[in-house]
Amino acid sequence: MRGEPRGHRLGSKLTRRGLLRGLAVGAAVPAVSALLAACAGGQATPTPAPQPTPTAAPAAQPTPTAAAASPTPAAPPTPTPVVLKGTKLNILFGTFFVPETQDLMKQQLQEFGKETGVEATIDFINWPDLQPKISAAVQAGAGPDIVGMWDTWPSLYKDALVDVAEIVEKRIKGEGDYFDWVKKTVMVGDQWLSIPIGAPTSAQVYRKSLLEKAGWPDPNNPPDTWEDLFKIGVEFKKLGMPLGQAFGHSTGDPPSFCYAFMWAYGAMEVEADGKTVAFNKPQFVEGMKLFLSYWKPAFDETGLSWDDATNNRAFLAGQIGWTFNGSSIYIAAKKQAPDIAEDIIHHIYPKGPAGRFNNLGSWSVGILKYSKNVAGAKAFLEWWTAPEQFRKWLEIQQGYQVAPTQYYLDDPYYKADPKLVPYVEAAKYGRNKGYAGLGNEKAAEAFARYVVVDTFARAIQSGNAEEAIQWGASELEKIYSR
């Protein structure tokens, strides 16, 4: 059974309602206001940036006790039950594709509460609802103390987040520096306003038996280039199990394909100066023509309306023979269909003429300035991101979340099951949205508007690679020239 179409209608008029749905995943409040005004045909009305709610009087704030003046070096700040006891803390995250992650986080929060006396709670909501919830809390100056954020969100909420450099520096000192794709998404200028926690990765997911039936010479080593992927897709489709790829308006699978393909064929959103659009490149045009030539003979053509869950269902139902995905398909198959899990083989992303790349940007956790328990929030994040706790969080996700530093990548949960190794390898090929610039507000806006994804969708619908890429370049110019 295929997923429900999710509002992707190229060539149709952009509606206020449709825009709201799209922006719910990526645009800041001021950007939303401006875009809504434009959508309505009028002038954008500047909207004041989210202002932090006046904080409580200093006496009401829990005060770390380790900062007392002393001729000897002060001890590192640690959670102090006497200070934090009786305070409250609420955390907001999106739901996790590996459900056991949420159970673990609840247990960890209980452990922290027992140690510190903090009354801590955590809520998980659907991903599309997370950013509207955070935006509303910032506007109201009330809500969760700590929020989980996608890669580009720290830039969007920079005026509402507490500086957490002291915790980040401890993590770097203990576990080593972060990957470049982590720093380029989580850092805001030279500031750390949230703590990186890595990112879900994806890889090619194949059925080994299908590779054998399709005549691939070595089913243990699946296609390693985009062109070979497309070629084997033709054979898969003849066998009734085409390539399955979403090109709708969802935040996971469509960007994973489109950004990686764009980079592999020599294009990018902007140059390193963050201003010069580098999207309409001859090599990318030729790559798009190659992709279009294989669309009908190799792909499931309903992919234009798929969301992030459709390929999971289709793969496990035997309707497609390949897809890009996190390890969640494999993890689900191990529980529900062990024969399929045994037949699954993963492979890193294909390479193109310009190289091999993954669309990776780090998730992070931040503290909102309106919190009345900033000290408690900092104490929790320092405790939770330490290896003793954070390693358990990574382990339970069975490779779904790649760590933000090299420090954890040799751990058994990444390497014990050979089928999961490609997900760890992805960290080596990561590039952030907005590359070669930063994953900042403009990268977030381009992502929220689905400019790169819609370029592919327009090309599929029109069959005209040049026109689609010219359109994408003009849309990026509008964003990055401001």
Side-chain angles (χ1 to χ4, degrees):
M1 182 177 178
R2 297 285 190 255
E4 293 297 323
R6 300 213 39 193
H8 186 65
R9 296 290 186 273
L10 292 172
S12 62
K13 185 177 180 180
L14 183 63
T15 66
R16 181 184 178 92
R17 183 179 177 185
L19 184 57
L20 272 171
R21 283 201 303 269
L23 289 173
V25 297
V29 174
V32 171
S33 177
L35 294 169
L36 285 175
C39 185
Q43 294 295 316
T45 302
T47 301
Q51 295 297 316
T53 298
T55 55
Q61 292 285 338
T63 305
T65 58
S70 171
T72 57
T78 55
T80 308
V82 173
V83 175
L84 300 178
K85 186 177 181 180
T87 62
K88 295 183 178 180
L89 196 65
N90 177 251
I91 302 170
L92 179 66
F93 261 88
T95 53
F96 285 86
F97 276 100
V98 181
E100 291 83 358
T101 310
Q102 296 174 191
D103 296 332
L104 174 69
M105 294 185 76
K106 291 176 182 175
Q107 292 173 13
Q108 291 180 321
L109 212 54
Q110 288 179 351
E111 291 175 23
F112 177 76
K114 288 180 181 177
E115 292 182 14
T116 62
V118 174
E119 184 182 332
T121 57
I122 188 166
D123 296 309
F124 301 97
I125 62 175
N126 291 330
W127 279 111
D129 299 327
L130 182 60
Q131 193 176 22
K133 183 90 172 181
I134 296 174
S135 296
V138 170
Q139 289 283 41
D145 302 281
I146 297 173
V147 293
M149 295 181 287
W150 276 42
D151 50 358
T152 55
W153 296 3
S155 292
L156 299 178
Y157 295 110
K158 60 186 178 185
D159 295 330
L161 291 168
V162 173
D163 189 310
V164 289
E166 59 186 307
I167 302 174
V168 170
E169 287 165 4
K170 288 178 182 176
R171 297 281 76 85
I172 293 174
K173 184 178 181 180
E175 291 92 72
D177 203 1
Y178 295 109
F179 291 115
D180 190 55
W181 53 266
V182 173
K183 290 186 285 189
K184 291 184 77 170
T185 47
V186 179
M187 288 192 79
V188 180
D190 60 353
Q191 286 186 294
W192 288 105
L193 301 178
S194 57
I195 304 170
I197 58 172
T201 63
S202 58
Q204 299 188 70
V205 188
Y206 287 94
R207 295 281 290 268
K208 188 176 175 181
S209 59
L210 188 62
L211 285 166
E212 292 171 344
K213 289 179 183 176
W216 183 252
D218 184 359
N220 289 313
N221 289 290
D224 196 47
T225 68
W226 286 96
E227 187 164 4
D228 281 347
L229 166 63
F230 299 158
K231 288 178 179 177
I232 200 65
V234 174
E235 304 306 315
F236 282 7
K237 193 162 185 175
K238 290 176 183 175
L239 294 168
M241 297 176 69
L243 307 181
Q245 173 59 45
F247 288 100
H249 279 185
S250 56
T251 55
D253 296 331
S256 293
F257 182 104
C258 298
Y259 281 72
F261 188 91
M262 167 185 69
W263 292 324
Y265 280 86
M268 58 192 76
E269 289 168 272
V270 284
E271 302 284 1
D273 63 7
K275 299 177 181 177
T276 307
V277 172
F279 192 70
N280 190 1
K281 297 288 187 180
Q283 195 174 54
F284 184 33
V285 173
E286 293 305 309
M288 185 69 83
K289 288 179 179 177
L290 176 73
F291 164 64
L292 293 178
S293 72
Y294 283 99
W295 172 250
K296 289 185 178 179
F299 285 82
D300 185 321
E301 296 168 65
T302 64
L304 281 170
S305 62
W306 287 12
D307 62 21
D308 286 337
T310 310
N311 63 331
N312 295 50
R313 295 192 295 269
F315 190 93
L316 291 172
Q319 295 170 337
I320 59 175
W322 167 97
T323 193
F324 282 131
N325 210 74
S327 60
S328 54
I329 286 180
Y330 175 60
I331 294 170
K334 286 202 296 183
K335 297 177 182 176
Q336 303 165 15
D339 56 328
I340 294 178
E342 181 64 27
D343 195 31
I344 285 176
I345 185 167
H346 298 120
H347 194 63
I348 55 177
Y349 266 56
K351 60 185 176 184
R356 187 195 315 274
F357 305 102
N358 268 75
N359 169 34
L360 277 180
S362 181
W363 291 4
S364 62
V365 285
I367 303 167
L368 292 167
K369 284 183 177 176
Y370 63 67
S371 170
K372 296 180 179 178
N373 193 6
V374 170
K378 285 188 174 182
F380 172 75
L381 291 182
E382 182 173 347
W383 177 85
W384 183 66
T385 57
E388 292 78 8
Q389 282 66 243
F390 193 62
R391 179 169 271 129
K392 295 176 184 175
W393 186 76
L394 292 170
E395 181 177 11
I396 205 165
Q397 298 187 71
Q398 303 177 59
Y400 187 79
Q401 184 93 356
V402 70
T405 75
Q406 183 69 36
Y407 179 78
Y408 296 97
L409 297 190
D410 290 325
D411 282 2
Y413 46 86
Y414 281 130
K415 299 291 181 67
D417 186 343
K419 288 179 182 287
L420 296 176
V421 171
Y423 290 98
V424 187
E425 294 293 307
K428 301 177 183 176
Y429 305 104
R431 277 186 173 181
N432 57 284
K433 300 180 186 75
Y435 184 90
L438 301 174
N440 55 16
E441 300 98 322
K442 293 180 178 178
E445 183 177 348
F447 178 61
R449 290 177 178 271
Y450 293 97
V451 173
V452 178
V453 172
D454 279 357
T455 296
F456 282 78
R458 292 176 73 98
I460 291 169
Q461 291 185 325
S462 69
N464 189 331
E466 291 94 339
E467 184 279 331
I469 292 175
Q470 287 171 6
W471 173 85
S474 68
E475 293 300 305
L476 291 171
E477 288 281 358
K478 294 174 187 175
I479 295 169
Y480 283 97
S481 64
R482 291 200 295 267

